[in-house]
Amino acid sequence: MLIPQSQQFDIWSDKLTIPVLALDIVIFTIYKWELCILVTKRNEDNIHGYSLPGSIVAKWYSLSENFDEVLKRKTGITHGVYKEQLYTFWENSARDPRGHVIALAYYALVKAESLLSQVDFTLVDIVTVEQFMKLHIFYEHDEIFRYALKRLKDKLWYTDIVKNILSEEFRISEMQKMYEIILGRSLDKLNFQKKIFSLGIVTETWKKDTSTNRPAKLYRFVEKKQLKFIDML
Amino acid sequence: MLIPQSQQFDIWSDKLTIPVLALDIVIFTIYKWELCILVTKRNEDNIHGYSLPGSIVAKWYSLSENFDEVLKRKTGITHGVYKEQLYTFWENSARDPRGHVIALAYYALVKAESLLSQVDFTLVDIVTVEQFMKLHIFYEHDEIFRYALKRLKDKLWYTDIVKNILSEEFRISEMQKMYEIILGRSLDKLNFQKKIFSLGIVTETWKKDTSTNRPAKLYRFVEKKQLKFIDML
DNA sequence: CCAAAAGTGTTACTGATACACCCATGA
DNA sequence: TCATGGGTGTATCAGTAACACTTTTGG
C-alpha cells in the first residue's frame, strides 16, 4: 500500500474536504514513586512548549496498529503497554496552526523498567503530573491529560488495570502504594484490602515475600476470563 | 470554504494516505411506551439491510457542527436533541466496501413529539430496540448500538439525562416509567424516589397534577449549575 | 365504596469509612 | 526488646433492595 510521496495528495490542501485525524497518547508510568507522563518538546512560531506524543493516523491500518506505530515512532516503545481509547476532540484552528485537526486521544500504562529500557529520550521527556501541570502545553493536550488522569483514577476501582504496572507476584501493600500514587492520597490498609478482594481481581499464591521484617503474602492477578466485571470494548 | 466539486480531491483515492472519518448516530426516543431508535435503509451489493444514520465528517467544522449537519441531512431533525460522543471505531475493510473508514459514534436523545414533527420518514425508519436486534445491520453498527444502549442505561443513575425526554414539569411516576422503559425492567416506587432525590436532580414545583384520581406532586429538573456531579466534557 | 394511583414505613443487607490493636520478624 | 511493616477486629453510617401498608381522589 505504499505510494511514492510525489504521488500522494497533500493532506493539508484546501482541496481536501475531509479533516486530518491525529492520534495523541498520554503515557503514564510510575517512576521514583511518582506518577509521570511522557511529553514531546515543541517549538511553534518560536514559542517553546510541550505536547503529548502523537501523529497523523494512517489509512489501511486499524486504530490499534496506528497506536502502536505512533508510540514506536514518537517514543521508541514497542511492547509491554496497556492502551485504551479516551475520546475524540476537535482541535479548533485558533490553537492548531496546521488547520483543522481531529485528535483521537488514547492513554497508556507502562511499567517504569519497561519504559526506561525502551524510550528514546531524544524524542521525549518524562515529567511528573505535578510538573506537567505547570508546563506550557500546545493544542488542547492539557485537557486530554486531565481527562486521561480522571479515567485512570476511576478505572482503578472497577478493573484490574493496575496489573500493567505491577510485577507478576506482589504484596498487597505494593498494590496499595500504586493506588496511592495514582490517586494522590493515602488509603486505609484494611479498607483497601476489603475493596480489592471484593472486586475479585487478585488471588493468593501461598508464597511469602521475606524481604522485609515480617514476611508478606504474595498475590497475583486472576485470569481475565474469570473476572466478573465486563468492560465493553 | 466551499470548493467546486471538480477541484476537490477524491476522498476514496489510493493517493490519499489518511482515512475517511464518518459520524454515525444512535438516535433514541421513547415512542408508544417503547425505547426506539432511527435507522436508515440500505442496499449494498443487493443485500438489503439497515444502518445508523451517518455521514462523512467535513473539514472546517467542529464535531458538534458536523453532528448537527449529519442529523439534519439524514433524518431531518434540527433541534431539541441531546447529544453525546460514544467512541471511535475502526470499520475494517471486510465489512465496509468503501474502504477504510473510521466511525465516530454518537448517541442522541429526542422527545418523541419533537422527533415525529421533524423526521423525514422517507429517509429513516423508527424501530424498537427489540426489532433492531433482529434486523440485518451493516458495518459494525450493531456494536455501536449496544455500546450506546449501555451508556444510556448507565447515565440514568448519575446524571439528569432523562430530562431530554420529559416535559418541563412531570410526576415522579412518569419519570420512573421512562427509566423502566429504557432499562427494560420494573423498579420499586419508593426506592426509585429515594435514589432520584438523593441525586438531587429534581425539585418540587408545589403544583399538583390532577389528571388522575389522586393528584400527584409535580417536579422539575434543577438548574445545571446547581448539580453536584460533574460530567467531564 | 371501590378502583387506581399516590405516597410512606420498616427491616435486612451490603459496602464504605474510621480507628484501634495484635503479630512476626530482623537487627 | 524494639522498630517495622504485616495482618485483623469492630462500630458506625449511607445506600440498596424487598415488601407492605395507608391516603386521596374520581366514578
Side-chain angles (χ1 to χ4, degrees):
Chain A
M1 278 298 186
L2 285 179
I3 311 157
Q5 197 123 36
S6 58
Q7 285 181 34
Q8 293 176 11
F9 286 165
D10 170 21
I11 60 171
W12 304 111
S13 164
D14 276 351
K15 290 182 184 163
L16 189 59
T17 56
I18 62 172
V20 171
L21 188 64
L23 193 156
D24 297 315
I25 314 175
V26 184
I27 304 149
F28 288 107
T29 195
I30 289 182
Y31 177 58
K32 296 194 175 177
W33 309 109
E34 289 223 60
L35 183 60
C36 296
I37 67 166
L38 293 183
V39 289
T40 305
K41 258 178 286 210
R42 276 183 186 264
N43 268 292
E44 312 250 334
D45 304 323
N46 275 322
I47 300 168
H48 177 68
Y50 297 84
S51 76
L52 297 172
S55 188
I56 304 305
V57 171
K59 204 172 173 178
W60 305 299
Y61 298 97
S62 73
L63 294 178
S64 175
E65 288 165 335
N66 266 284
F67 175 98
D68 295 344
E69 173 63 19
V70 171
L71 191 71
K72 179 181 173 188
R73 217 173 58 245
K74 297 292 174 168
T75 72
I77 301 171
T78 60
H79 59 274
V81 175
Y82 170 80
K83 61 173 174 253
E84 185 183 324
Q85 192 192 112
L86 276 176
Y87 196 78
T88 302
F89 299 83
W90 184 59
E91 308 215 310
N92 75 58
S93 51
R95 294 217 202 173
D96 192 328
R98 295 170 301 181
H100 302 72
V101 173
I102 290 176
L104 179 50
Y106 274 75
Y107 77 103
L109 258 182
V110 195
K111 283 191 185 80
E113 320 85 71
S114 173
L115 183 142
L116 292 172
S117 67
Q118 296 180 70
V119 161
D120 177 348
F121 283 106
T122 64
L123 297 173
V124 288
D125 284 353
I126 185 166
V127 296
T128 67
V129 300
E130 302 237 330
Q131 288 166 344
F132 178 84
M133 291 196 276
K134 289 174 196 153
L135 298 178
H136 180 271
I137 306 299
F138 281 111
Y139 318 122
E140 269 137 29
H141 289 184
D142 47 346
E143 186 185 355
I144 295 176
F145 163 76
R146 284 192 302 275
Y147 195 71
L149 183 56
K150 182 183 189 315
R151 177 82 65 93
L152 175 60
K153 286 180 178 180
D154 288 349
K155 279 235 160 175
L156 289 177
W157 298 115
Y158 63 97
T159 70
D160 60 354
I161 194 174
V162 77
K163 88 167 171 197
N164 300 287
I165 44 171
L166 280 174
S167 43
E168 279 293 303
E169 300 184 340
F170 51 90
R171 21 172 99 195
I172 288 293
S173 62
E174 291 174 319
M175 184 173 175
Q176 183 178 337
K177 189 73 194 157
M178 291 296 166
Y179 274 63
E180 290 178 334
I181 292 169
I182 293 170
L183 296 168
R185 63 191 174 91
S186 61
L187 300 168
D188 181 273
K189 221 191 326 179
L190 182 53
N191 295 338
F192 177 75
Q193 293 186 23
K194 279 193 261 184
K195 176 68 189 170
I196 294 305
F197 294 150
S198 79
L199 252 184
I201 56 178
V202 298
T203 181
E204 292 197 39
T205 61
W206 308 107
K207 297 184 204 166
K208 292 268 182 179
D209 175 358
T210 54
S211 64
T212 51
N213 287 348
R214 173 169 175 178
K217 288 183 189 168
L218 282 173
Y219 294 83
R220 60 178 172 75
F221 286 95
V222 306
E223 308 295 312
K224 205 101 204 164
K225 303 141 197 171
Q226 295 169 36
L227 295 177
K228 44 175 183 272
F229 62 81
I230 9 86
D231 201 19
M232 272 183 83
L233 292 172
Chain B
M1 277 300 184
L2 285 179
I3 310 158
Q5 197 122 35
S6 58
Q7 286 183 35
Q8 294 175 9
F9 287 166
D10 170 20
I11 60 172
W12 305 111
S13 164
D14 276 351
K15 291 181 183 163
L16 189 60
T17 57
I18 62 172
V20 171
L21 187 64
L23 193 157
D24 298 315
I25 314 174
V26 184
I27 303 150
F28 288 108
T29 195
I30 290 183
Y31 177 58
K32 295 193 175 178
W33 309 109
E34 289 224 59
L35 183 60
C36 297
I37 66 166
L38 293 183
V39 289
T40 304
K41 257 177 287 211
R42 276 184 186 264
N43 268 294
E44 312 250 333
D45 304 323
N46 274 326
I47 300 167
H48 177 69
Y50 296 86
S51 77
L52 297 172
S55 188
I56 305 305
V57 171
K59 204 174 176 176
W60 305 300
Y61 298 97
S62 72
L63 293 178
S64 175
E65 288 164 334
N66 265 284
F67 174 97
D68 295 343
E69 173 63 20
V70 171
L71 191 69
K72 179 182 171 186
R73 218 173 55 245
K74 297 291 174 169
T75 72
I77 300 171
T78 59
H79 60 274
V81 174
Y82 169 80
K83 60 172 174 252
E84 185 182 324
Q85 192 191 111
L86 276 176
Y87 197 79
T88 301
F89 298 83
W90 184 60
E91 308 216 309
N92 74 57
S93 51
R95 293 218 202 172
D96 192 327
R98 295 170 301 179
H100 302 72
V101 172
I102 290 176
L104 178 51
Y106 274 74
Y107 77 103
L109 257 183
V110 195
K111 285 191 183 82
E113 320 84 72
S114 173
L115 184 143
L116 292 172
S117 68
Q118 295 180 71
V119 161
D120 177 348
F121 283 106
T122 64
L123 297 173
V124 288
D125 284 352
I126 184 165
V127 296
T128 67
V129 301
E130 301 237 329
Q131 288 166 344
F132 179 84
M133 293 195 278
K134 289 175 198 153
L135 298 178
H136 179 271
I137 306 299
F138 281 111
Y139 317 123
E140 269 138 30
H141 289 184
D142 47 346
E143 187 185 355
I144 295 176
F145 162 77
R146 284 192 302 273
Y147 194 71
L149 183 56
K150 182 183 189 315
R151 177 82 65 91
L152 175 61
K153 285 180 178 180
D154 288 349
K155 280 235 159 177
L156 288 177
W157 298 115
Y158 63 97
T159 71
D160 60 354
I161 193 173
V162 77
K163 89 167 168 197
N164 300 287
I165 44 172
L166 279 174
S167 43
E168 279 293 304
E169 301 184 340
F170 51 89
R171 18 172 101 197
I172 288 294
S173 62
E174 291 173 319
M175 185 173 175
Q176 183 178 336
K177 190 72 194 159
M178 291 296 165
Y179 274 63
E180 290 178 335
I181 292 169
I182 292 170
L183 295 168
R185 63 191 174 92
S186 61
L187 300 168
D188 181 90
K189 220 190 327 178
L190 184 53
N191 295 337
F192 177 76
Q193 293 187 22
K194 280 193 256 185
K195 176 68 190 169
I196 295 304
F197 293 151
S198 79
L199 252 184
I201 57 178
V202 298
T203 181
E204 292 198 37
T205 60
W206 308 107
K207 296 184 205 167
K208 292 268 182 176
D209 176 358
T210 54
S211 65
T212 51
N213 287 348
R214 175 169 174 176
K217 289 184 189 170
L218 282 173
Y219 294 83
R220 59 179 172 73
F221 287 96
V222 306
E223 307 296 311
K224 205 102 203 164
K225 303 141 198 172
Q226 297 169 35
L227 295 178
K228 44 176 184 272
F229 61 81
I230 9 87
D231 201 18
M232 271 183 84
L233 293 173

